[in-house]
Amino acid sequence: MPHLDSFTIPEFHLPFENAKDPRADRANTEATDWAVSRGLIDEATEQFAGIGFGHLAGRVSLGASYEDIVLLSQWMAWSFVLDDQHDLLIRSGRVDTWRPVADAITGYLEHGRTDRLPRAARNPLVDAFVELCDRILAGMPPGARERYRAHVPQMLRSLDQEADNRRPGYRPPVADYVLTRRHSSQLLPMMDMVEASLGIDLPPLVHDSPEVQELGWSAIDVISWGNDVFSLPKEYSCGDTNNLAVLLASWQDWPLPRAVRAVEARIEARVEDFLATARKLPSVLDGLGVTDTAVRTAAERRVRAYEDWMIGSDLWQRYDCTRYRDERFAAGLEAAYTRPDLVPVA
């Protein structure tokens, strides 16, 4: 592994504007209190609140109701706990205890019944998911509901892949990692929630078109790769190869600062991909025979939503979130709020 030289997080070229809902801080507090009340965390609540999930929600869902911003904040809080608990299980050699959790979540998505969940799989992480899932699906139109039901299992499978990527002596090919990262970022279910809260509902003909799909993937790549730079000290320090900069440095035998510059260049190229595809969107809709003004407006609003996600995520990491500046995190240690007993031994 290359040496972790000091580096400066670049100012990524993101030519978009962003505003934050003024109730974001209040939503952050409510989401933190919710996580405590559901037993997801029981100490270091200030550190947990410093993640700033309410601020991220306020940046990417401007115009949504406060109730929807709080719900998104709570889902984000749950997602951070999910990610950190999964990391803890990998570190402690208990990743086999993850399977009942993932199975319980996917099972509930399929049948929506808690009486079918094995008692051994019930824990605060699963119970909080059940609560959130019911509330999320109740407010979604059919298209978004179907996508959310598909995206959550994909997210869980990607975490399995990232665990496999961390087996001793293995480093995933960069191209494979990029595909995994699109789902392990956990962005897709969140994007489904934001679109539902903003009333963006594209018909399958438009949603499934290659150009509209490419808009989403380019935005997700920009966000995910940027996050890899912010989280680089932590992931490098604990030997986690699920990081684009770490992989580029390893495969190319580059020092990490050069790898970070390469990630910056890739982000800039993906932003240009996004902009080029967005410019083509009107002609794409023409080619699909879409004349309904409401559908065309919804497609334009999806583009704006992706822009908010790209710039909002970057600004959140720079200004609203203490996670990536925390000395414990940067040293590669597990989060202080992580509960070793949250996922019991099977």
Side-chain angles (χ1 to χ4, degrees), residues 63-287:
S65 70
Y66 180 67
E67 291 74 16
D68 283 336
I69 292 174
V70 170
L71 180 58
L72 178 61
S73 302
Q74 292 169 339
W75 174 263
M76 288 176 170
W78 178 85
S79 295
F80 275 104
V81 173
L82 180 85
D83 192 52
D84 287 334
Q85 288 294 148
H86 187 256
D87 182 58
L88 175 62
L89 295 179
I90 294 172
R91 291 169 183 255
S92 60
R94 294 174 50 212
V95 75
D96 58 312
T97 63
W98 179 253
R99 180 48 45 202
V101 174
D103 288 347
I105 291 171
T106 54
Y108 189 75
L109 281 166
E110 291 171 2
H111 50 65
R113 292 175 54 180
T114 56
D115 62 340
R116 291 192 181 182
L117 300 180
R119 290 183 61 85
R122 299 300 295 272
N123 59 62
L125 199 58
V126 173
D127 290 343
F129 170 79
V130 168
E131 175 195 338
L132 291 173
C133 182
D134 287 348
R135 292 164 56 199
I136 289 166
L137 292 178
M140 281 184 163
R145 190 180 304 129
E146 181 180 349
R147 291 192 290 274
Y148 173 86
R149 288 183 185 275
H151 288 154
V152 172
Q154 288 177 317
M155 176 188 80
L156 294 173
R157 287 194 295 272
S158 72
L159 295 179
D160 290 338
Q161 182 59 57
E162 287 203 339
D164 187 61
N165 288 347
R166 291 170 69 172
R167 65 185 186 269
Y170 181 71
R171 54 179 179 176
V174 171
D176 291 353
Y177 168 72
V178 166
L179 296 179
T180 299
R181 187 71 170 101
R182 289 177 173 180
H183 296 286
S184 67
S185 66
Q186 306 192 38
L187 287 166
L188 282 169
M190 298 179 194
M191 288 177 166
D192 296 333
M193 292 176 65
V194 170
E195 290 194 10
S197 70
L198 297 178
I200 301 171
D201 189 20
L202 291 179
L205 174 70
V206 177
H207 172 80
D208 296 338
S209 68
E211 293 83 1
V212 172
Q213 289 292 299
E214 172 61 15
L215 277 172
W217 293 133
S218 57
I220 287 171
D221 288 344
V222 167
I223 299 164
S224 301
W225 301 348
N227 178 258
D228 279 0
V229 174
F230 279 94
S231 62
L232 175 58
K234 178 258 187 183
E235 283 150 4
Y236 180 85
S237 296
C238 70
D240 187 350
T241 56
N242 292 294
N243 183 291
L244 183 56
V246 169
L247 286 175
L248 288 173
S250 178
W251 281 107
Q252 301 294 333
D253 196 23
W254 288 342
L256 281 168
R258 180 176 177 183
V260 169
R261 292 194 296 272
V263 173
E264 180 184 11
R266 284 179 174 236
I267 289 173
E268 184 171 341
R270 287 306 267 154
V271 170
E272 291 304 316
D273 291 341
F274 176 88
L275 294 172
T277 306
R279 287 192 293 268
K280 291 191 300 184
L281 187 58
S283 62
V284 168
L285 296 176
D286 291 341

